[in-house]
């Protein structure tokens, strides 16, 4: 057994940005405006410029970003919301936290995202079962954006909103447009392991809708009206910490270069592994943020590969070993007609390799060799 390497290594990045990071964090400690200090507004503005959207509302985490968005969109208890089953639990959890009901839908076998086909099937199934969903949450799994243009086309005639859960894809793009600008409302997470992560929890909602943004600013601050002690609605305590905004400002400076490096890491993996496993499929129009680099193996083989790498100190991840409709907490919620065979198949075959912008090429060569040998 050799010593193990981290799955995501944040140390090299910290060394690179340390001077800027410390300067920005010291400034916050000095001015002491820890809640909604000037760094939050600056970060919201800079993130909006990066993504090409008019309004960014920082909040406490990516799960809250989903809850706040649905509250702002008017989701009521008992409403139904279509969500993919192959995602992190927060996508469906946020629906339930709003008192609404997730309707689990299958995903595309190549992109792992909702597509026009899977969404049309979900809407048909809802109609056949007298379920009238109010909206759809599309997830950009592992860093690749869903095709929102195609999804919008499917909902064309229906009065439904589409929310983009971009927790994993911020930094990516589709048809030349940045993630964050692809749906009417887009949510991101700054969990430390995300492509753009802070040093704790953080999240944001991105939208071009000024009224929605105003509502979100109220909801994140206890439903405030004209001022902090004017309470006009029931809200949340869900603000992005000033210190985290300072961290994110420092990381945003190097983010574009890191995205290029992540693409190089992904290309290197795919070049070395395409003949022994199914490597990620990225649509022509998409640029992934590579939150994960995820291979598909034949059922049974995946666990052998993971064990062989673990033996050599190389960690792997399984995202996600169970689709949500198989999880204890979500078993009672409706599933579209025909079940979710793709989500179930993917859950039995996915394996993610170490992925970050500073992965050393020689270490990566070793990982490739070990995967090949295990195959
Ligand atoms: C797809 C997806 N949605 C939502 C979230 C929730 O984000 P957070 O952990 O910041 O609450 C995550 C985080 O892992 C995620 O991957």
């Amino acid at each position: 057994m050799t010593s193990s390497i981290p799955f995501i290594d944040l140390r090299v990045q910290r060394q690179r940005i340390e001077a800027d990071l410390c300067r920005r964090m010291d400034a916050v400690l000095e001015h002491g405006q820890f809640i909604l200090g000037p760094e939050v507004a600056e970060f919201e503005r800079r993130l909006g410029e990066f993504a090409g959207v008019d309004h960014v509302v920082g909040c406490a985490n990516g799960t809250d970003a989903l809850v706040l968005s649905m509250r702002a969109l008017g989701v009521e208890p008992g409403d139904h919301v279509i969500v993919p089953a192959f995602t992190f639990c927060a996508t469906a959890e946020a629906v339930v936290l709003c008192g609404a009901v997730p309707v689990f839908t299958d995903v595309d076998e190549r992109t792992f995202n909702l597509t026009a086909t899977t969404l049309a099937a979900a809407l048909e199934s809802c109609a056949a079962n007298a379920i009238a969903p109010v909206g759809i949450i599309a997830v950009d799994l592992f860093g690749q954006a869903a095709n929102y243009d195609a999804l919008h086309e499917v909902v064309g005639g229906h009065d439904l909103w589409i929310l983009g859960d971009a927790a994993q894809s911020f930094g990516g793009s589709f048809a030349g447009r940045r993630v964050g600008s692809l749906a009417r409302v887009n949510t991101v997470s700054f969990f430390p392991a995300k492509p753009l992560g802070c040093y704790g929890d953080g999240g944001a909602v991105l939208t071009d809708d000024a009224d929605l943004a105003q509502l979100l600013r109220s909801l994140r601050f206890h439903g405030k009206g004209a001022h902090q002690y004017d309470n006009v609605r029931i809200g949340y305590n869900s603000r992005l910490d000033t210190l985290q905004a300072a961290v994110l400002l420092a990381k945003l400076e190097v983010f574009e270069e890191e995205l290029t490096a992540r693409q190089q890491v992904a290309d290197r993996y795919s070049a070395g592994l395409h003949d022994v496993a199914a490597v990620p499929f990225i649509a022509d129009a998409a640029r992934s943020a590579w939150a994960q680099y995820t291979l598909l193996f034949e059922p049974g083989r995946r666990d052998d590969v993971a064990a062989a790498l673990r033996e050599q100190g190389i960690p792997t991840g399984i995202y996600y070993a169970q689709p949500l409709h198989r999880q204890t907490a979500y078993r009672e919620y409706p599933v579209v007609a025909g079940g979710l065979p793709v989500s179930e198949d993917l859950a039995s075959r996915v394996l993610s390799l170490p992925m970050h912008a500073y992965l050393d090429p020689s270490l990566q060569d070793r990982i490739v060799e070990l995967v090949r040998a295990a195959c």
Side-chain angles (χ1 to χ4, degrees):
M1 177 78 174
T2 47
S3 67
S4 67
I5 62 132
F7 189 63
I8 292 173
D9 191 347
L10 294 171
R11 276 172 317 168
V12 189
Q13 182 198 49
R14 202 196 74 223
Q15 282 156 11
R16 178 178 177 193
I17 61 170
E18 190 129 39
D20 190 30
L21 188 65
C22 291
R23 184 183 59 78
R24 290 180 188 274
M25 290 177 79
D26 280 349
V28 177
L29 298 181
E30 202 54 45
H31 67 56
Q33 295 177 56
F34 299 113
I35 303 297
L36 296 186
E39 285 78 5
V40 175
E42 185 186 347
F43 174 66
E44 290 176 339
R45 183 177 53 73
R46 298 265 315 277
L47 203 75
E49 284 165 10
F50 182 93
V53 291
D54 291 342
H55 305 280
V56 176
V57 181
C59 63
N61 54 64
T63 310
D64 280 9
L66 288 163
V67 171
L68 294 167
S69 296
M70 279 186 277
R71 284 283 313 279
L73 286 163
V75 170
E76 301 275 357
D79 284 348
H80 287 81
V81 177
I82 292 174
V83 299
F86 193 57
T87 175
F88 182 61
C89 66
T91 312
E93 186 179 41
V95 174
V96 178
L97 288 172
C98 291
V101 180
V103 180
F104 290 118
T105 300
D106 219 351
V107 294
D108 178 63
E109 60 194 10
R110 292 202 301 172
T111 61
F112 313 160
N113 286 333
L114 286 192
T115 60
T117 311
T118 61
L119 179 57
L123 291 172
E124 210 172 289
S125 166
C126 285
N129 289 287
I131 291 175
V134 295
I136 296 131
I137 305 182
V139 178
D140 305 336
L141 209 71
F142 303 152
Q144 173 170 211
N147 182 345
Y148 287 87
D149 294 336
L151 299 181
H152 282 121
E153 228 165 88
V154 173
V155 299
H158 303 75
D159 183 20
L160 291 170
W161 46 257
I162 298 181
L163 197 169
D165 180 348
Q168 301 183 9
S169 61
F170 192 76
S173 62
F174 196 92
R177 281 154 56 216
R178 294 265 200 195
V179 164
S181 69
L182 301 175
R184 180 172 162 218
V185 191
N186 310 267
T187 61
V188 299
S189 162
F190 304 122
F191 185 82
K194 299 293 188 230
L196 181 63
C198 56
Y199 290 153
D201 279 308
V205 184
L206 291 83
T207 181
D208 280 329
D209 185 326
D211 293 337
L212 214 59
Q214 197 183 355
L215 197 47
L216 287 161
R217 288 184 195 285
S218 165
L219 284 166
R220 78 171 171 184
F221 203 144
H222 300 291
K224 80 181 175 76
H227 58 79
Q228 180 175 353
Y229 299 106
D230 175 31
N231 307 118
V232 297
R233 58 180 60 82
I234 302 298
Y236 304 83
N237 176 358
S238 184
R239 296 156 304 214
L240 178 66
D241 286 349
T242 311
L243 271 169
Q244 299 303 347
V247 170
L248 287 162
L249 279 165
K251 291 202 179 191
L252 199 54
E253 294 288 333
V254 297
F255 190 43
E256 193 60 67
E257 280 174 38
E258 290 183 344
L259 289 166
T260 304
R262 294 178 95 92
Q263 181 62 51
Q264 286 163 354
V265 170
D267 288 343
R268 210 178 165 94
Y269 271 142
S270 293
L273 295 170
H274 66 94
D275 56 339
V276 294
V279 298
F281 167 85
I282 304 297
D284 285 345
R287 181 189 182 213
S288 178
W290 294 108
Q292 301 293 344
Y293 182 90
T294 303
L295 298 166
L296 288 180
F297 290 96
E298 288 310 311
R301 173 62 56 84
R302 184 254 315 263
D303 297 340
D304 294 342
V305 174
L309 267 72
R310 193 180 322 118
E311 184 74 14
Q312 296 299 320
I314 308 292
T316 55
I318 296 180
Y319 308 106
Y320 300 93
Q322 291 282 1
L324 291 182
H325 66 295
R326 298 277 181 218
Q327 293 278 5
T328 310
Y330 297 95
R331 270 185 206 145
E332 71 192 79
Y333 296 109
V335 165
V336 297
L340 307 172
V342 176
S343 298
E344 287 175 10
D345 179 54
L346 293 174
S348 71
R349 296 170 60 208
V350 283
L351 187 70
S352 300
L353 301 181
M355 160 55 80
H356 57 89
Y358 303 94
L359 193 59
D360 180 58
S362 59
L363 174 58
Q364 213 191 338
D365 287 345
R366 200 171 128 234
I367 298 171
V368 167
E369 279 319 307
L370 287 169
V371 174
R372 293 189 68 84
C375 291

